[in-house]
Amino acid sequence: MTLTEQLERLATFEPAPYPVVSLYLNTQPGQTGRDQHQVFIRKEFKARGRTYPQNSPEQESLDRDLERITRYLETELQPSANSVAIFACSAGELFETIQSAARIDQHWLHIGDQPHLYPLARLESQYPRYAAVVADTNTARIMVFALGELVTEREVKNVKTRDTAQGGWSQARYQRHIGNFHLQHVKEVVDTLDRIVRDEEIDQILLSCEEETLTLIRDQMPKHLAERVVD
């Protein structure tokens, strides 16, 4: 599921009569190599919990959220993640998490009646989803990046060709034969890229190719793909 889809789903969450937690954490280790977010969570949840009557349904829901969030961070947080966003409301059966290599500058906690999504939307705008194509005349890697990290990768491989020392008519015929191989390879690359762009809802494409391959790719690209090439 893409971040855009997660944002849209969270935005449909109906306002709840119980606390809805929106927690954003910078999960990079501190100077000592230890995580810095656990102290923030315990301190902030304790302070926010005091705003609800003791033993009230709201406080009990918040306590359950804190317990589940703590367990999640201890057991499921990936070492490669530089940030995490967590949305929780145990009474409303909500628990959604988003780990990312993108960095959030500081910890942030919001408790209201709906998920608070602005920081997540801002992060998405700072690190847009894009596809990168690295190709030559017989191989290609198509990589999709989101929030600053690789999320999917496809490889296209075809016949590897080589030059020949023949001359005259035979050489020209051979070169046309090689050219057809290269063209068919590029067509497959463009078709694969087209499917990925459509399925992944990608708006930006980067190309890294030899000059010959780059020219072929640009010639074969339909307009809706060519318009997405940014570099």
Side-chain angles (χ1 to χ4, degrees):
M1 180 182 298
T2 67
L3 179 56
T4 299
E5 290 171 334
Q6 287 179 291
L7 278 165
E8 290 174 350
R9 187 171 68 180
L10 286 164
T12 63
F13 185 82
E14 295 293 335
Y18 295 95
V20 177
V21 175
S22 301
L23 177 65
Y24 295 87
L25 297 173
N26 181 327
T27 55
Q28 293 175 299
Q31 294 180 350
T32 62
R34 293 187 175 184
D35 293 332
Q36 305 293 304
H37 53 266
Q38 295 290 1
V39 174
F40 170 83
I41 293 171
R42 288 193 296 269
K43 179 181 177 181
E44 288 298 316
F45 268 83
K46 185 176 181 180
R48 302 298 182 90
R50 295 195 192 103
T51 64
Y52 298 99
Q54 191 172 6
N55 299 323
S56 65
E58 292 83 2
Q59 187 187 53
E60 291 175 358
S61 176
L62 196 60
D63 288 343
R64 288 194 296 271
D65 290 335
L66 174 58
E67 181 180 345
R68 187 170 183 182
I69 288 170
T70 301
R71 186 167 63 249
Y72 171 84
L73 292 171
E74 289 176 348
T75 61
E76 298 186 48
L77 183 63
Q78 300 297 317
S80 59
N82 290 324
S83 65
V84 61
I86 302 175
F87 306 92
C89 177
S90 61
E93 299 183 347
L94 170 68
F95 193 80
E96 186 106 11
T97 64
I98 300 168
Q99 297 188 37
S100 171
R103 185 173 63 87
I104 293 175
D105 291 335
Q106 61 184 13
H107 308 318
W108 196 82
L109 173 65
H110 180 274
I111 297 178
D113 62 355
Q114 286 182 292
H116 188 71
L117 302 177
Y118 174 74
L120 191 60
R122 185 169 181 268
L123 197 66
E124 183 189 34
S125 68
Q126 290 175 323
Y127 298 90
R129 196 175 187 87
Y130 68 92
V133 181
V134 180
D136 58 22
T137 54
N138 71 287
T139 62
R141 293 172 64 205
I142 303 174
M143 298 162 283
V144 176
F145 293 85
L147 293 180
E149 64 182 329
L150 177 66
V151 292
T152 60
E153 181 176 356
R154 287 285 303 277
E155 188 173 30
V156 179
K157 277 191 172 184
N158 281 293
V159 176
K160 186 173 184 179
T161 57
R162 60 179 181 178
D163 292 332
T164 177
Q166 292 178 335
W169 181 82
S170 296
Q171 176 69 12
R173 182 180 180 186
Y174 180 79
Q175 290 301 328
R176 287 196 299 271
H177 185 61
I178 295 301
N180 287 334
F181 274 122
H182 294 173
L183 181 59
Q184 291 305 312
H185 167 66
V186 165
K187 286 183 176 180
E188 184 178 348
V189 171
V190 171
D191 287 345
T192 302
L193 176 63
D194 198 7
R195 289 194 299 272
I196 291 172
V197 166
R198 182 180 62 249
D199 294 345
E200 299 280 351
E201 299 180 354
I202 290 169
D203 292 325
Q204 297 183 353
I205 300 170
L206 302 179
L207 300 177
S208 177
C209 315
E210 300 171 340
E211 191 62 36
E212 175 189 354
T213 307
L214 181 61
T215 300
L216 286 173
I217 288 178
R218 288 191 176 278
D219 288 344
Q220 295 302 315
M221 267 191 170
K223 183 180 178 181
H224 67 272
L225 280 187
E227 290 174 342
R228 288 173 165 81
V229 176
V230 296
D231 199 6

